[in-house]
Amino acid sequence: MPRPSLLYMIKQLELVVRARLDDILRPAGITALQYTALTVLDRHDGLSPAQLARDSFVRPQSIADLIANLERRRLVRRTRNPGNRRELVVSLTDDGRDLLAHYAAPVEHLEAEIVAALGTRKVAEFRDDLDACRIALTNSAM
């Protein structure tokens, strides 16, 4: 029997990871996509909604609702960009940082489960390979 395509296998992994992440985050009342946006802001605070959409893998049309939901929960705030008063930027609040800290261990455990069968050397190679695939696709789209 032929093996499934690589794209199919990647999508299967994504769906399993998202379902497990949704289970972990359900008590917080946020989704995996919202969590991803919070982690992006944790690394790069003060992003425009467009940049947050790109970095969070969310369509630009969907980011406004995602930000509004997180803002209602007081996990993010929108303020004027001091360098361009016409532009709004999105920043993580203390509540958002607290939520990320609270879920850091369970999320790290999930990540460890994903690569448990690989071993330390293969995990490093896997990370490098995933990054190389991302770069190849990003460069080919330009």
Side-chain angles (χ1 to χ4, degrees):
M1 186 165 188
R3 295 182 73 173
S5 73
L6 190 55
L7 290 177
Y8 182 79
M9 293 176 70
I10 291 167
K11 187 62 177 180
Q12 281 185 312
L13 178 59
E14 177 199 3
L15 292 173
V16 171
V17 168
R18 185 178 289 190
R20 293 284 303 275
L21 196 51
D22 280 338
D23 288 345
I24 290 168
L25 299 169
R26 189 167 290 115
I30 65 169
T31 65
L33 287 175
Q34 291 169 331
Y35 178 81
T36 299
L38 293 174
T39 63
V40 167
L41 290 172
D42 192 38
R43 288 189 315 273
H44 309 286
D45 211 19
L47 294 176
S48 70
Q51 187 62 50
L52 181 59
R54 279 190 297 278
D55 292 354
S56 301
F57 316 109
V58 175
R59 295 180 188 273
Q61 302 87 335
S62 304
I63 198 67
D65 288 339
L66 188 145
I67 292 169
N69 286 331
L70 293 174
E71 195 172 35
R72 269 193 295 281
R73 299 277 318 276
R74 294 184 170 89
L75 300 174
V76 302
R77 72 177 155 277
R78 288 183 265 198
T79 57
R80 294 272 169 212
N81 181 346
N84 177 358
R85 300 292 300 157
R86 294 181 298 168
E87 180 183 55
L88 289 176
V89 294
V90 184
S91 300
L92 202 56
T93 64
D94 288 342
D95 287 349
R97 286 188 203 334
D98 290 347
L99 185 140
L100 289 175
H102 180 78
Y103 285 95
V107 170
E108 286 173 15
H109 179 74
L110 173 60
E111 200 171 294
E113 278 187 83
I114 292 168
V115 296
L118 298 182
T120 306
R121 185 180 56 75
K122 283 191 176 181
V123 170
E125 290 173 4
F126 184 54
R127 284 179 175 277
D128 291 343
D129 291 344
L130 287 173
D131 200 38
C133 292
R134 180 193 56 79
I135 290 167
L137 284 177
T138 302
N139 290 341
S140 71
M142 293 180 175

